[in-house]
Amino acid sequence: MSDRSLRGMRLGAQSMETEAGVEPAPRQRVEYRCEDGEQVFVTFSSEAEIPPTWISKTGKEATLVNGEKPVDSNEKPVRTHWDMLLERRSVEELEQILKDRLDKLRAARGEKVDA
C-alpha cells in the first residue's frame, strides 16, 4: 500500500455515508409577533407542541400569530430578602440597629462617636 492512499482525507471529520434516500422529519414553520410588530419565525417538528410565546433574538417576548393568548399564571411573586426582613422589622427599627452597629464599630476603631 502506498503512503499516498489516504492523502488529503480528513479521517473522522467527514462522514463517508451519502444522503441518498434520507428524508428529513416533517416540519412546520410557526410565526410569532412582538408588540412592536417584529416577526419571528421558528421551525418545529410537526409532532411538537407549539408554545404560546417565544423569546426573540432581540430579547422581546413574541406571541403566537393566530393562536390562543397565553394565560397568566397565578403564581405568588418572588419574595426577596428585603421583603422578608420587612416582615420582621420596621424601617425605623432597621435604621436604629444600623446606627447602633456603626457606633459600636467606630468605638472599636477608636473613632469619635456622634451622640
Side-chain angles (χ1 to χ4, degrees), residues 33-54:
R33 191 166 292 142
C34 298
E35 289 182 6
D36 62 357
E38 177 185 354
Q39 293 179 320
V40 179
F41 294 97
V42 184
T43 303
F44 291 100
S45 167
S46 61
E47 300 170 358
E49 183 177 328
I50 308 301
T53 60
W54 191 263

PDB file of all heavy atoms in Angstrom, residues 33-54:
ATOM      1  N   ARG A  33     -45.226  37.106  16.777  1.00  0.00           N
ATOM      2  CA  ARG A  33     -45.116  38.539  16.548  1.00  0.00           C
ATOM      3  C   ARG A  33     -45.018  39.265  17.888  1.00  0.00           C
ATOM      4  O   ARG A  33     -45.772  38.979  18.812  1.00  0.00           O
ATOM      5  CB  ARG A  33     -46.332  39.045  15.769  1.00  0.00           C
ATOM      6  CG  ARG A  33     -46.145  40.466  15.265  1.00  0.00           C
ATOM      7  CD  ARG A  33     -47.168  40.869  14.229  1.00  0.00           C
ATOM      8  NE  ARG A  33     -46.957  40.108  13.005  1.00  0.00           N
ATOM      9  CZ  ARG A  33     -47.948  39.640  12.241  1.00  0.00           C
ATOM     10  NH1 ARG A  33     -49.190  39.847  12.582  1.00  0.00           N
ATOM     11  NH2 ARG A  33     -47.683  38.970  11.145  1.00  0.00           N
ATOM     12  N   CYS A  34     -44.069  40.211  17.940  1.00  0.00           N
ATOM     13  CA  CYS A  34     -43.886  41.040  19.136  1.00  0.00           C
ATOM     14  C   CYS A  34     -44.897  42.181  19.114  1.00  0.00           C
ATOM     15  O   CYS A  34     -45.537  42.447  18.095  1.00  0.00           O
ATOM     16  CB  CYS A  34     -42.469  41.614  19.185  1.00  0.00           C
ATOM     17  SG  CYS A  34     -41.185  40.370  19.296  1.00  0.00           S
ATOM     18  N   GLU A  35     -45.015  42.882  20.250  1.00  0.00           N
ATOM     19  CA  GLU A  35     -45.954  44.006  20.333  1.00  0.00           C
ATOM     20  C   GLU A  35     -45.585  45.132  19.384  1.00  0.00           C
ATOM     21  O   GLU A  35     -46.445  45.851  18.905  1.00  0.00           O
ATOM     22  CB  GLU A  35     -46.006  44.540  21.763  1.00  0.00           C
ATOM     23  CG  GLU A  35     -46.703  43.614  22.726  1.00  0.00           C
ATOM     24  CD  GLU A  35     -46.785  44.191  24.123  1.00  0.00           C
ATOM     25  OE1 GLU A  35     -46.394  45.362  24.309  1.00  0.00           O
ATOM     26  OE2 GLU A  35     -47.236  43.479  25.018  1.00  0.00           O
ATOM     27  N   ASP A  36     -44.275  45.278  19.087  1.00  0.00           N
ATOM     28  CA  ASP A  36     -43.849  46.352  18.189  1.00  0.00           C
ATOM     29  C   ASP A  36     -43.905  45.939  16.716  1.00  0.00           C
ATOM     30  O   ASP A  36     -43.481  46.689  15.851  1.00  0.00           O
ATOM     31  CB  ASP A  36     -42.445  46.839  18.546  1.00  0.00           C
ATOM     32  CG  ASP A  36     -41.390  45.756  18.396  1.00  0.00           C
ATOM     33  OD1 ASP A  36     -41.749  44.603  18.070  1.00  0.00           O
ATOM     34  OD2 ASP A  36     -40.201  46.059  18.596  1.00  0.00           O
ATOM     35  N   GLY A  37     -44.436  44.748  16.421  1.00  0.00           N
ATOM     36  CA  GLY A  37     -44.601  44.306  15.045  1.00  0.00           C
ATOM     37  C   GLY A  37     -43.488  43.420  14.516  1.00  0.00           C
ATOM     38  O   GLY A  37     -43.568  42.947  13.382  1.00  0.00           O
ATOM     39  N   GLU A  38     -42.451  43.201  15.304  1.00  0.00           N
ATOM     40  CA  GLU A  38     -41.349  42.334  14.856  1.00  0.00           C
ATOM     41  C   GLU A  38     -41.858  40.904  14.666  1.00  0.00           C
ATOM     42  O   GLU A  38     -42.544  40.352  15.516  1.00  0.00           O
ATOM     43  CB  GLU A  38     -40.229  42.349  15.899  1.00  0.00           C
ATOM     44  CG  GLU A  38     -39.085  41.435  15.560  1.00  0.00           C
ATOM     45  CD  GLU A  38     -38.035  41.376  16.655  1.00  0.00           C
ATOM     46  OE1 GLU A  38     -38.131  42.127  17.636  1.00  0.00           O
ATOM     47  OE2 GLU A  38     -37.118  40.558  16.521  1.00  0.00           O
ATOM     48  N   GLN A  39     -41.535  40.306  13.515  1.00  0.00           N
ATOM     49  CA  GLN A  39     -41.948  38.942  13.227  1.00  0.00           C
ATOM     50  C   GLN A  39     -40.814  37.980  13.554  1.00  0.00           C
ATOM     51  O   GLN A  39     -39.653  38.260  13.273  1.00  0.00           O
ATOM     52  CB  GLN A  39     -42.314  38.780  11.758  1.00  0.00           C
ATOM     53  CG  GLN A  39     -43.559  39.539  11.356  1.00  0.00           C
ATOM     54  CD  GLN A  39     -43.846  39.359   9.880  1.00  0.00           C
ATOM     55  OE1 GLN A  39     -42.943  39.355   9.069  1.00  0.00           O
ATOM     56  NE2 GLN A  39     -45.116  39.208   9.548  1.00  0.00           N
ATOM     57  N   VAL A  40     -41.183  36.848  14.134  1.00  0.00           N
ATOM     58  CA  VAL A  40     -40.219  35.812  14.482  1.00  0.00           C
ATOM     59  C   VAL A  40     -40.743  34.506  13.893  1.00  0.00           C
ATOM     60  O   VAL A  40     -41.884  34.118  14.151  1.00  0.00           O
ATOM     61  CB  VAL A  40     -40.064  35.683  16.017  1.00  0.00           C
ATOM     62  CG1 VAL A  40     -39.075  34.595  16.361  1.00  0.00           C
ATOM     63  CG2 VAL A  40     -39.670  37.001  16.632  1.00  0.00           C
ATOM     64  N   PHE A  41     -39.919  33.829  13.091  1.00  0.00           N
ATOM     65  CA  PHE A  41     -40.298  32.548  12.506  1.00  0.00           C
ATOM     66  C   PHE A  41     -39.458  31.449  13.136  1.00  0.00           C
ATOM     67  O   PHE A  41     -38.228  31.557  13.210  1.00  0.00           O
ATOM     68  CB  PHE A  41     -40.093  32.561  10.985  1.00  0.00           C
ATOM     69  CG  PHE A  41     -41.009  33.513  10.279  1.00  0.00           C
ATOM     70  CD1 PHE A  41     -40.586  34.777   9.928  1.00  0.00           C
ATOM     71  CD2 PHE A  41     -42.313  33.153   9.987  1.00  0.00           C
ATOM     72  CE1 PHE A  41     -41.423  35.669   9.279  1.00  0.00           C
ATOM     73  CE2 PHE A  41     -43.166  34.034   9.339  1.00  0.00           C
ATOM     74  CZ  PHE A  41     -42.723  35.293   8.983  1.00  0.00           C
ATOM     75  N   VAL A  42     -40.120  30.404  13.607  1.00  0.00           N
ATOM     76  CA  VAL A  42     -39.446  29.285  14.265  1.00  0.00           C
ATOM     77  C   VAL A  42     -39.912  28.002  13.607  1.00  0.00           C
ATOM     78  O   VAL A  42     -41.102  27.837  13.327  1.00  0.00           O
ATOM     79  CB  VAL A  42     -39.767  29.256  15.777  1.00  0.00           C
ATOM     80  CG1 VAL A  42     -38.991  28.148  16.470  1.00  0.00           C
ATOM     81  CG2 VAL A  42     -39.479  30.590  16.420  1.00  0.00           C
ATOM     82  N   THR A  43     -38.976  27.090  13.356  1.00  0.00           N
ATOM     83  CA  THR A  43     -39.303  25.808  12.748  1.00  0.00           C
ATOM     84  C   THR A  43     -39.371  24.742  13.832  1.00  0.00           C
ATOM     85  O   THR A  43     -38.431  24.571  14.606  1.00  0.00           O
ATOM     86  CB  THR A  43     -38.245  25.421  11.698  1.00  0.00           C
ATOM     87  OG1 THR A  43     -38.167  26.475  10.736  1.00  0.00           O
ATOM     88  CG2 THR A  43     -38.623  24.135  11.002  1.00  0.00           C
ATOM     89  N   PHE A  44     -40.490  24.023  13.880  1.00  0.00           N
ATOM     90  CA  PHE A  44     -40.702  22.949  14.839  1.00  0.00           C
ATOM     91  C   PHE A  44     -40.990  21.654  14.089  1.00  0.00           C
ATOM     92  O   PHE A  44     -41.387  21.666  12.922  1.00  0.00           O
ATOM     93  CB  PHE A  44     -41.923  23.242  15.733  1.00  0.00           C
ATOM     94  CG  PHE A  44     -41.730  24.368  16.692  1.00  0.00           C
ATOM     95  CD1 PHE A  44     -42.241  25.622  16.415  1.00  0.00           C
ATOM     96  CD2 PHE A  44     -41.070  24.175  17.883  1.00  0.00           C
ATOM     97  CE1 PHE A  44     -42.088  26.666  17.309  1.00  0.00           C
ATOM     98  CE2 PHE A  44     -40.902  25.210  18.782  1.00  0.00           C
ATOM     99  CZ  PHE A  44     -41.415  26.458  18.497  1.00  0.00           C
ATOM    100  N   SER A  45     -40.837  20.553  14.787  1.00  0.00           N
ATOM    101  CA  SER A  45     -41.274  19.266  14.260  1.00  0.00           C
ATOM    102  C   SER A  45     -42.790  19.312  14.130  1.00  0.00           C
ATOM    103  O   SER A  45     -43.472  20.004  14.893  1.00  0.00           O
ATOM    104  CB  SER A  45     -40.854  18.148  15.210  1.00  0.00           C
ATOM    105  OG  SER A  45     -41.523  16.948  14.884  1.00  0.00           O
ATOM    106  N   SER A  46     -43.339  18.573  13.178  1.00  0.00           N
ATOM    107  CA  SER A  46     -44.790  18.585  13.008  1.00  0.00           C
ATOM    108  C   SER A  46     -45.488  17.932  14.195  1.00  0.00           C
ATOM    109  O   SER A  46     -46.670  18.153  14.415  1.00  0.00           O
ATOM    110  CB  SER A  46     -45.183  17.874  11.711  1.00  0.00           C
ATOM    111  OG  SER A  46     -44.765  16.525  11.764  1.00  0.00           O
ATOM    112  N   GLU A  47     -44.766  17.155  14.997  1.00  0.00           N
ATOM    113  CA  GLU A  47     -45.350  16.493  16.154  1.00  0.00           C
ATOM    114  C   GLU A  47     -45.173  17.314  17.436  1.00  0.00           C
ATOM    115  O   GLU A  47     -45.713  16.959  18.476  1.00  0.00           O
ATOM    116  CB  GLU A  47     -44.703  15.123  16.347  1.00  0.00           C
ATOM    117  CG  GLU A  47     -44.880  14.213  15.153  1.00  0.00           C
ATOM    118  CD  GLU A  47     -44.034  12.958  15.260  1.00  0.00           C
ATOM    119  OE1 GLU A  47     -43.280  12.816  16.242  1.00  0.00           O
ATOM    120  OE2 GLU A  47     -44.129  12.133  14.350  1.00  0.00           O
ATOM    121  N   ALA A  48     -44.416  18.413  17.383  1.00  0.00           N
ATOM    122  CA  ALA A  48     -44.093  19.185  18.582  1.00  0.00           C
ATOM    123  C   ALA A  48     -45.283  19.992  19.062  1.00  0.00           C
ATOM    124  O   ALA A  48     -46.123  20.433  18.275  1.00  0.00           O
ATOM    125  CB  ALA A  48     -42.922  20.115  18.304  1.00  0.00           C
ATOM    126  N   GLU A  49     -45.330  20.208  20.375  1.00  0.00           N
ATOM    127  CA  GLU A  49     -46.342  21.073  20.958  1.00  0.00           C
ATOM    128  C   GLU A  49     -45.842  22.514  20.822  1.00  0.00           C
ATOM    129  O   GLU A  49     -44.735  22.836  21.253  1.00  0.00           O
ATOM    130  CB  GLU A  49     -46.542  20.722  22.426  1.00  0.00           C
ATOM    131  CG  GLU A  49     -47.626  21.515  23.097  1.00  0.00           C
ATOM    132  CD  GLU A  49     -47.831  21.079  24.539  1.00  0.00           C
ATOM    133  OE1 GLU A  49     -47.633  19.894  24.831  1.00  0.00           O
ATOM    134  OE2 GLU A  49     -48.172  21.956  25.351  1.00  0.00           O
ATOM    135  N   ILE A  50     -46.628  23.377  20.227  1.00  0.00           N
ATOM    136  CA  ILE A  50     -46.208  24.748  19.937  1.00  0.00           C
ATOM    137  C   ILE A  50     -46.439  25.624  21.168  1.00  0.00           C
ATOM    138  O   ILE A  50     -47.564  25.730  21.650  1.00  0.00           O
ATOM    139  CB  ILE A  50     -46.986  25.310  18.728  1.00  0.00           C
ATOM    140  CG1 ILE A  50     -46.909  24.369  17.535  1.00  0.00           C
ATOM    141  CG2 ILE A  50     -46.498  26.701  18.364  1.00  0.00           C
ATOM    142  CD1 ILE A  50     -45.516  24.095  17.057  1.00  0.00           C
ATOM    143  N   PRO A  51     -45.388  26.279  21.688  1.00  0.00           N
ATOM    144  CA  PRO A  51     -45.578  27.158  22.850  1.00  0.00           C
ATOM    145  C   PRO A  51     -46.299  28.444  22.452  1.00  0.00           C
ATOM    146  O   PRO A  51     -46.132  28.939  21.334  1.00  0.00           O
ATOM    147  CB  PRO A  51     -44.152  27.451  23.312  1.00  0.00           C
ATOM    148  CG  PRO A  51     -43.288  27.188  22.135  1.00  0.00           C
ATOM    149  CD  PRO A  51     -43.986  26.157  21.306  1.00  0.00           C
ATOM    150  N   PRO A  52     -47.111  29.007  23.356  1.00  0.00           N
ATOM    151  CA  PRO A  52     -47.863  30.227  23.018  1.00  0.00           C
ATOM    152  C   PRO A  52     -46.998  31.478  22.931  1.00  0.00           C
ATOM    153  O   PRO A  52     -47.385  32.441  22.287  1.00  0.00           O
ATOM    154  CB  PRO A  52     -48.889  30.351  24.146  1.00  0.00           C
ATOM    155  CG  PRO A  52     -48.305  29.573  25.278  1.00  0.00           C
ATOM    156  CD  PRO A  52     -47.477  28.490  24.668  1.00  0.00           C
ATOM    157  N   THR A  53     -45.821  31.473  23.578  1.00  0.00           N
ATOM    158  CA  THR A  53     -44.922  32.623  23.495  1.00  0.00           C
ATOM    159  C   THR A  53     -43.520  32.150  23.157  1.00  0.00           C
ATOM    160  O   THR A  53     -43.170  30.988  23.382  1.00  0.00           O
ATOM    161  CB  THR A  53     -44.867  33.399  24.833  1.00  0.00           C
ATOM    162  OG1 THR A  53     -44.401  32.524  25.855  1.00  0.00           O
ATOM    163  CG2 THR A  53     -46.212  33.964  25.199  1.00  0.00           C
ATOM    164  N   TRP A  54     -42.733  33.075  22.608  1.00  0.00           N
ATOM    165  CA  TRP A  54     -41.349  32.777  22.227  1.00  0.00           C
ATOM    166  C   TRP A  54     -40.518  34.021  22.454  1.00  0.00           C
ATOM    167  O   TRP A  54     -40.977  35.132  22.192  1.00  0.00           O
ATOM    168  CB  TRP A  54     -41.296  32.365  20.749  1.00  0.00           C
ATOM    169  CG  TRP A  54     -39.996  31.787  20.333  1.00  0.00           C
ATOM    170  CD1 TRP A  54     -38.968  32.436  19.725  1.00  0.00           C
ATOM    171  CD2 TRP A  54     -39.581  30.439  20.484  1.00  0.00           C
ATOM    172  NE1 TRP A  54     -37.939  31.564  19.497  1.00  0.00           N
ATOM    173  CE2 TRP A  54     -38.285  30.321  19.948  1.00  0.00           C
ATOM    174  CE3 TRP A  54     -40.169  29.296  21.026  1.00  0.00           C
ATOM    175  CZ2 TRP A  54     -37.573  29.140  19.944  1.00  0.00           C
ATOM    176  CZ3 TRP A  54     -39.467  28.113  21.006  1.00  0.00           C
ATOM    177  CH2 TRP A  54     -38.185  28.045  20.478  1.00  0.00           C
TER     178      TRP A  54
END
